[in-house]
């Protein structure tokens, strides 16, 4: 991603994608074609539809299994092929995908986080607009403007959103908090850290569970958003962002202190183990996206009885947003089959089936809340409550920054996990910002 298009993306707190980008050679990047307004064929266009995701484990796999079953029922002429690659919140999958796209071997459709993560694919003409499919699905009458704004690039939409997740959620083990004498939700990051000390003093060896590097990035971004507030946090991704400000450094220090309460983790450790530590009573807290809901439920744990959840506390209520979505790759071998898949995942039936299992909430506003858990219903309410809950975009999950920028942030985070040097981390974050947010 090179400058102008991304700078425009992050200009306001809504992070609306707009402007003009320059590719590496200085020419205009991104396709200006719109997807063909083909008429869907009853039962599907036929042929194989390879669906590339990183939903290979846990609740995510269960959600994909539910989609596959329903897709086969509604599109019997099409042959679904599961191309899931496990590991690292998609890092392994993204590496393989990059290779496949470079070699001219795109899948039928691939999963991506809606927002900045797709910018490199757009600039490299590796995905096509899906405006007509979004229109066929109901457009702005069913997809909220706050969402469409975040996934629109130069007037076009390049993916069909399937989920909305909240990344800045603190999950807690009820019994361990009770043992530590904690009876209320903290109102600041500092208060939360104090509660972790109470948990440790009560005899719990691991007050906070973490996974690999991307989960640590998610923890830091949650602390940053809580302390800075929506506007200042969002400004970090514009050319005026100050990654070496006193507020950012103070947040890094709080993150550093949080790590003193945590287990030892390796780069490749994925999220289920960290979530399971809370579910199993081995840790009091974990910061994770709300795909964790299904992990708790799969272990028979009950909301308000065995576990609680709250957004990272700070100066205002924050919804740290990400959205899983699917694309129409340039040069895919069966584009009509891919369009069947895109229409399907954007439908009410598919979004209800998938999100109710995965723990996320549906992007469509016309999906009934009846089949969703109490936690998911509260997330739906918060996402719609723009007057009281401020939406920001996740770093770790591709909504705030493009892949190259997030990769550099993760590299800096991995180094910080080893040396715990706040100044070095701040300098690395400044360097990445100056490189990408021009």
């Amino acid at each position: 991603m090179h400058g102008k298009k991304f700078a425009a993306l992050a200009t306001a707190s809504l992070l609306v994608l707009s402007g003009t980008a320059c590719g590496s050679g200085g020419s205009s990047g991104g396709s200006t074609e719109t997807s063909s307004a083909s008429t869907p064929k009853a039962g599907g266009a036929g042929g194989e539809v390879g669906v590339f995701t990183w939903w290979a484990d846990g609740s995510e796999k269960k959600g994909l299994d539910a989609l596959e079953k329903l897709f086969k029922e509604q599109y019997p002429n099409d042959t679904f092929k599961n191309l899931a690659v496990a590991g690292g919140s998609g890092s392994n999958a993204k590496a393989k995908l990059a290779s496949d796209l470079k070699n001219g071997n795109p899948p039928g459709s691939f999963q991506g986080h809606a927002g900045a993560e797709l910018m490199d694919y757009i600039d490299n003409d590796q995905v096509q607009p899906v405006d007509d499919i979004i229109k066929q699905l109901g457009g702005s009458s069913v997809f909220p403007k706050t969402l469409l704004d975040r996934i629109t690039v130069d007037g076009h939409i390049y993916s069909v959103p399937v989920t909305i997740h909240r990344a800045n959620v603190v999950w807690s083990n009820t019994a361990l908090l009770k043992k530590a004498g904690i009876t209320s939700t903290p109102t600041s990051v500092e208060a939360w850290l104090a509660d972790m000390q109470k948990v440790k003093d009560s005899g719990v060896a691991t007050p906070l569970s973490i996974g690999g590097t991307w989960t640590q990035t998610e923890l830091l971004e949650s602390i940053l958003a809580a302390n800075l507030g929506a506007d200042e946090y969002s400004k970090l991704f514009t050319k005026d962002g100050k990654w070496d400000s006193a507020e950012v450094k103070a947040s890094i220090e709080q993150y550093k202190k949080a790590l003193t309460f945590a287990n030892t983790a390796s780069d490749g450790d994925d999220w289920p183990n960290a979530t399971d530590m809370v579910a199993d009573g081995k840790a009091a807290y974990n910061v994770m996206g709300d795909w964790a809901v299904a992990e708790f439920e799969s272990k028979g744990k009950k909301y308000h009885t065995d576990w609680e959840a709250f957004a990272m506390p700070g100066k205002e209520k924050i919804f740290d947003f990400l959205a899983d979505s699917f694309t129409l790759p340039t040069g895919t071998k069966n584009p009509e089959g891919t369009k069947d898949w895109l229409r399907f995942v954007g439908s009410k039936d598919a979004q209800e089936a998938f999100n109710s299992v995965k723990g996320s909430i549906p992007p469509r506003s016309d999906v009934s809340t009846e089949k969703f858990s109490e936690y998911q219903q509260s997330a739906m309410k918060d996402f719609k409550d723009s007057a009281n809950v401020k939406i920001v975009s996740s770093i770790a999950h591709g909504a705030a920054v493009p892949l190259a920028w997030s990769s550099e942030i993760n590299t800096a985070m991995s180094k910080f996990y080893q040396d715990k040097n706040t100044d070095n981390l701040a300098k690395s974050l400044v360097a990445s910002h100056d490189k990408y947010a021009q």
Side-chain angles (χ1 to χ4, degrees):
M1 228 325 284
H2 298 272
K4 292 183 181 178
K5 187 176 285 183
F6 185 71
L9 179 151
T11 297
S13 60
L14 279 182
L15 301 184
V16 178
L17 289 153
S18 60
T20 304
C22 55
S24 57
S27 61
S28 177
S31 172
T32 57
E33 298 177 21
T34 58
S35 58
S36 171
S38 58
T39 301
K41 184 183 296 184
E48 185 176 276
V49 183
V51 177
F52 189 97
T53 74
W54 51 85
W55 294 330
D57 297 299
S59 59
E60 296 174 322
K61 182 180 184 301
K62 291 179 182 178
L64 182 59
D65 289 344
L67 281 184
E68 179 180 353
K69 179 181 178 183
L70 190 58
F71 182 66
K72 288 180 177 178
E73 291 174 2
Q74 295 188 3
Y75 293 84
N77 297 342
D78 295 336
T79 302
F80 178 93
K81 185 175 182 181
N82 187 347
L83 302 177
V85 174
S89 185
S91 58
N92 296 343
K94 291 167 193 173
K96 184 180 187 308
L97 177 63
S99 176
D100 288 347
L101 293 176
K102 183 178 180 181
N103 293 323
N105 186 34
S109 182
F110 62 85
Q111 173 192 1
H113 289 129
E117 182 176 293
L118 297 181
M119 292 304 304
D120 290 341
Y121 304 123
I122 295 168
D123 282 343
N124 292 330
D125 293 330
Q126 292 171 324
V127 292
Q128 295 296 308
V130 294
D131 304 301
D132 293 320
I133 290 173
I134 294 291
K135 184 177 180 180
Q136 288 173 349
L137 289 167
S140 59
S141 67
V142 298
F143 293 107
K145 184 178 184 300
T146 52
L147 174 62
L148 293 181
D149 283 345
R150 288 170 182 269
I151 63 175
T152 299
V153 182
D154 290 347
H156 296 297
I157 295 174
Y158 287 83
S159 64
V160 176
V162 184
T163 73
I164 290 173
H165 274 298
R166 189 177 202 165
N168 61 325
V169 185
V170 183
W171 309 90
S172 63
N173 181 286
T174 305
L176 293 185
L177 297 196
K178 183 178 180 180
K179 178 184 177 184
I182 298 169
T183 58
S184 60
T185 302
T187 57
S188 67
V189 175
E190 199 61 43
W192 179 51
L193 292 170
D195 282 349
M196 277 195 264
Q197 184 63 56
K198 292 178 184 177
V199 170
K200 189 171 185 177
D201 291 344
S202 73
V204 177
T206 308
L208 175 69
S209 62
I210 60 172
T213 300
W214 72 264
T215 76
Q216 297 161 33
T217 300
E218 183 175 289
L219 173 57
L220 176 60
E221 76 182 48
S222 298
I223 292 173
L224 283 170
N227 288 334
L228 298 178
D231 289 345
E232 290 303 311
Y233 170 83
S234 297
K235 192 182 293 183
L236 291 175
F237 314 113
T238 73
K239 67 176 182 178
D240 296 323
K242 303 295 183 185
W243 284 91
D244 56 352
S245 70
E247 293 82 3
V248 169
K249 286 188 176 181
S251 294
I252 294 174
E253 285 295 325
Q254 288 182 325
Y255 165 69
K256 179 179 176 179
K257 185 174 181 180
L259 292 180
T260 66
F261 296 107
N263 55 293
T264 301
S266 300
D267 277 346
D269 291 346
D270 215 345
W271 68 271
N273 288 339
T275 300
D276 288 346
M277 287 181 71
V278 174
D280 297 338
K282 296 178 181 178
Y285 297 106
N286 173 237
V287 175
M288 186 52 55
D290 46 18
W291 45 89
V293 170
E295 190 71 12
F296 283 106
E297 292 178 346
S298 72
K299 299 176 81 66
K301 304 301 181 180
K302 304 296 184 184
Y303 188 30
H304 299 316
T305 301
D306 302 306
W307 58 274
E308 293 286 351
F310 56 91
M312 182 70 74
K315 64 190 301 182
E316 58 189 347
K317 293 181 179 179
I318 297 289
F319 192 115
D320 188 15
F321 153 93
L322 64 134
D324 294 300
S325 64
F326 283 96
T327 61
L328 174 60
T330 302
T332 188
K333 295 179 178 65
N334 184 11
E336 293 306 314
T338 295
K339 291 173 187 177
D340 287 339
W341 172 254
L342 296 178
R343 293 185 189 99
F344 167 71
V345 295
S347 70
K348 286 176 65 174
D349 288 348
Q351 296 207 351
E352 182 180 271
F354 183 69
N355 288 286
S356 61
V357 173
K358 191 173 185 282
S360 45
I361 64 176
R364 293 182 67 107
S365 59
D366 58 350
V367 177
S368 171
T369 63
E370 291 180 4
K371 292 188 177 181
F372 292 86
S373 69
E374 181 183 352
Y375 170 82
Q376 287 168 303
Q377 290 180 19
S378 69
M380 290 176 177
K381 181 180 178 182
D382 279 357
F383 189 74
K384 294 176 181 177
D385 187 9
S386 58
N388 298 301
V389 182
K390 305 304 180 184
I391 299 174
V392 302
S393 294
S394 170
I395 301 169
H397 300 284
V401 294
L403 285 170
W405 191 349
S406 65
S407 178
E408 290 195 10
I409 289 174
N410 283 334
T411 297
M413 293 295 292
S414 180
K415 188 174 186 300
F416 180 81
Y417 188 68
Q418 302 302 321
D419 66 23
K420 305 298 191 298
N421 189 309
T422 298
D423 287 337
N424 284 348
L425 177 56
K427 288 176 182 177
S428 295
L429 296 175
V430 168
S432 295
H433 166 271
D434 292 347
K435 183 176 180 180
Y436 293 103
Q438 299 173 359

